[in-house]
Every structure is written in structure tokens, then in C-alpha cells.
Amino acid sequence: NNSTNRNHKQYKIDTETLLRTSLRTTSTSTTPTSAETWFESQSPTHQSAMEEGLSSLLYNGIVLAAQRSYDTVVKQAQVQQEEKKKKKKREEQQLKEKEKGVTMASGKKFTPPNN
């Protein structure tokens, strides 16, 4: 039903930022905040539902952060592997050029002696 869909707002929550903020913020105060006071005024059913929702959001943020970290590690490993291949190829090319000898300005080839 299109009228029902228009009445529901889509909310996008930045769970990574929420997780970072909640992990950085630690309260040492024994005085309840307005949010804690409001939460305590809710029924046990509502409190449980909110706790489950918050746990779900935090879990989602942790999973997303882990996926991004994993992707970064994999990409870094791939780049390092490609760089090693390129370095090896350059070294092999330099060795081949060294074995062929060097053409001097006079046009004569200089081949170093084999040791």
C-alpha cells in the first residue's frame, strides 16, 4: 500500500559512530541522567525491547566495523603481493640486462666478467 509506505519514515543510523561514541563515553557520575531517569520510568517490557534494540544496533556496528577492517587487511595483503611481484619482475629484468651487457656511448658492448 503506497499511502502506508509514505507515512513510514526511513531512518539511517550510523552505527559505527554510535558505537565509537558509546565506547569513548564513560560515566563516573552516580547521579542518573535524564535519559536514565526516563528509561527507568518505562515498563519492564519497554525497557527490555529498548535494550534488545540497542544491543542489535551495537552488534550491527561491531560487525560492520569488523567487515571493513577485514576488507582493509585483505586489500593491503593484495597490494603487498602485487608489489612483491613487480619488484621481482624488475629485479629479473635488471639481471637479464646485466647479463646482456651494457652498450657504451661509443656503441661498443661491455659485458662484465662472470664471477
Side-chain angles (χ1 to χ4, degrees):
N1 183 336
N2 286 340
S3 63
T4 304
N5 290 339
R6 278 186 245 133
N7 293 333
H8 293 283
K9 290 184 178 181
Q10 293 285 330
Y11 292 98
K12 184 173 182 171
I13 297 174
D14 184 357
T15 53
E16 286 183 274
T17 302
L18 179 64
L19 177 62
R20 276 191 219 104
T21 303
S22 67
L23 291 175
R24 284 188 202 136
T25 307
T26 57
S27 176
T28 56
S29 174
T30 56
T31 307
T33 64
S34 60
E36 291 170 328
T37 303
W38 174 84
F39 181 79
E40 293 298 325
S41 72
Q42 302 302 306
S43 71
T45 304
H46 285 128
Q47 287 180 10
S48 176
M50 285 185 273
E51 286 175 347
E52 287 179 22
L54 290 172
S55 293
S56 176
L57 289 172
L58 290 174
Y59 176 80
N60 182 40
I62 290 168
V63 168
L64 185 59
Q67 287 172 336
R68 288 184 178 171
S69 293
Y70 176 79
D71 289 346
T72 299
V73 168
V74 169
K75 286 177 185 175
Q76 286 174 344
Q78 289 172 339
V79 167
Q80 288 174 351
Q81 188 177 16
E82 287 298 316
E83 288 299 318
K84 284 181 183 179
K85 286 180 184 178
K86 288 178 184 178
K87 183 179 177 182
K88 185 176 179 181
K89 190 174 181 178
R90 277 194 308 269
E91 289 171 351
E92 289 172 353
Q93 185 65 31
Q94 288 172 351
L95 184 60
K96 285 180 184 178
E97 288 175 7
K98 183 179 177 183
E99 290 172 354
K100 288 181 185 177
V102 177
T103 304
M104 300 184 347
S106 64
K108 293 186 178 185
K109 231 176 197 183
F110 170 76
T111 304
N114 291 333
N115 291 335

